[in-house]
């Protein structure tokens, strides 16, 4: 089955700086890579996703890049704000099958003033 | 639109007691999931139901049973609770198995003494 590793486990940045979270996956067949954000005490929510036919996707201050050859993908947050403080989870799956979304272990991002 | 609702939000059990976590979605989704979240472990899949009438084991199914009661409802049962099952449980749904965004419930915090 798929195995997703996520680094770092914690990340502290100053407001306005950029944050980068990296994930690697094991199954070269995986073709869908979402990122979820979980604020303290809340449910995880999708913030951005990328499919394997795309190398990069942006949504305002958030971007995700995918390197299929190396089997890794990254989340980039620019101009970080205090409300970006949360736990971020990456995930990977081969869509169209009955397979299951495999999550990384999460990165706790703290944006300090 | 309530999305995914799960009950109860909090529960304390003694070792050996049984209980059922209830989950319902109103988005007409085909697939439903139960995850547990433990510190440093991310979101681990317990069981999932790709469509009404089917259920399959996830990564950590031991000690749990599930029932897909109908398209809307997916329950998780602990027959004989153990302290190792102390966790936060999330129900989720998606349009199809391995397709698109997962919508999570608010979570159920279970403590087994």
């Amino acid at each position: 089955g798929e195995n997703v590793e996520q680094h770092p486990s914690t990340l502290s940045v100053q407001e306005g700086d950029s944050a980068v979270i990296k994930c690697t996956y094991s199954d070269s067949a995986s073709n869908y890579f979402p990122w979820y954000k979980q604020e303290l005490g809340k449910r995880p929510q999708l913030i951005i996703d990328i499919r394997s036919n795309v190398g990069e996707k942006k949504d305002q201050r958030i971007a995700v890049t995918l390197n299929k050859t190396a089997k890794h993908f990254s989340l980039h947050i620019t101009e970080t704000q205090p409300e970006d403080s949360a736990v971020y989870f990456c995930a990977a799956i081969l869509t169209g099958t009955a397979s299951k979304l495999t999550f990384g272990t999460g990165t706790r991002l703290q944006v300090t003033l | 639109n309530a999305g995914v609702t799960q009950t109860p939000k909090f529960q304390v059990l003694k070792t050996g007691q049984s209980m059922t976590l209830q989950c319902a979605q109103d988005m007409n989704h085909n697939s439903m999931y139960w995850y547990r979240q433990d510190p440093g472990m991310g979101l681990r899949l317990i069981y999932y139901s790709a469509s009404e009438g089917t259920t399959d084991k996830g990564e950590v199914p031991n000690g749990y049973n599930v029932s897909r009661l109908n398209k809307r409802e997916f329950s998780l049962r602990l027959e004989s609770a153990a302290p190792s099952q102390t966790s936060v449980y999330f129900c989720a749904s998606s349009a199809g198995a391995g397709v698109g965004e997962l919508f999570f419930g608010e979570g159920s915090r279970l403590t087994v003494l």
Side-chain angles (χ1 to χ4, degrees), chain A residues 32 36 38 41-46 51 89 93-101 103-106, chain B residues 2 4 35 37 40-43 45 48 50 57-58 90 97-106:
Chain A
Y32 175 63
Y36 285 80
Q38 185 180 27
K42 301 290 182 63
R43 73 190 83 188
Q45 291 187 294
L46 180 72
R51 299 188 185 274
F89 293 97
I93 191 172
L94 171 61
T95 60
T97 70
S99 55
K100 300 86 67 176
L101 194 62
F103 284 89
T105 51
Chain B
V4 179
Y35 286 89
Q37 183 174 32
M41 304 288 286
L43 292 156
L45 184 64
Y48 71 108
K57 295 178 180 179
F90 285 97
V99 175
E101 182 176 357
L102 281 183
F103 292 84
F104 286 87
E106 291 185 316

Side-chain angles (χ1 to χ4, degrees), chain A residues 46-49 56-64 75-78:
Chain A
L46 180 72
I47 55 171
I48 194 167
D49 56 17
E56 183 176 5
K57 183 177 179 180
K58 288 184 179 180
D59 183 2
Q60 299 182 351
R61 296 185 297 107
I62 293 174
V64 57
L75 178 71
H76 305 255
I77 306 174
T78 59

Side-chain angles (χ1 to χ4, degrees), chain B residues 6-70:
Chain B
Q6 56 181 107
T7 57
K9 287 186 170 50
F10 300 94
Q11 184 73 49
V12 178
L13 292 177
K14 294 181 180 178
T15 296
Q17 287 185 319
S18 62
M19 77 158 297
T20 299
L21 297 173
Q22 307 285 355
C23 176
Q25 53 90 9
D26 62 4
M27 295 174 283
N28 200 34
H29 283 169
N30 289 312
S31 301
M32 298 185 73
Y33 313 81
W34 277 106
Y35 286 89
R36 61 176 288 174
Q37 183 174 32
D38 304 291
M41 304 288 286
L43 292 156
R44 292 184 294 169
L45 184 64
I46 305 171
Y47 270 94
Y48 71 108
S49 172
S51 60
E52 186 179 356
T54 68
T55 60
D56 282 290
K57 295 178 180 179
E59 183 184 354
V60 288
N62 291 346
Y64 305 94
N65 285 302
V66 291
S67 295
R68 183 76 183 265
L69 305 170
N70 48 55

Side-chain angles (χ1 to χ4, degrees), chain A residues 50-110:
Chain A
I50 191 168
R51 299 188 185 274
S52 60
N53 59 346
V54 175
E56 183 176 5
K57 183 177 179 180
K58 288 184 179 180
D59 183 2
Q60 299 182 351
R61 296 185 297 107
I62 293 174
V64 57
T65 59
L66 171 65
N67 183 328
K68 287 189 295 182
T69 302
K71 291 188 287 186
H72 67 70
F73 55 113
S74 301
L75 178 71
H76 305 255
I77 306 174
T78 59
E79 301 173 23
T80 53
Q81 301 169 4
E83 52 265 38
D84 295 328
S85 295
V87 178
Y88 292 81
F89 293 97
C90 62
I93 191 172
L94 171 61
T95 60
T97 70
S99 55
K100 300 86 67 176
L101 194 62
T102 302
F103 284 89
T105 51
T107 297
R108 181 173 298 280
L109 173 64
Q110 181 71 43

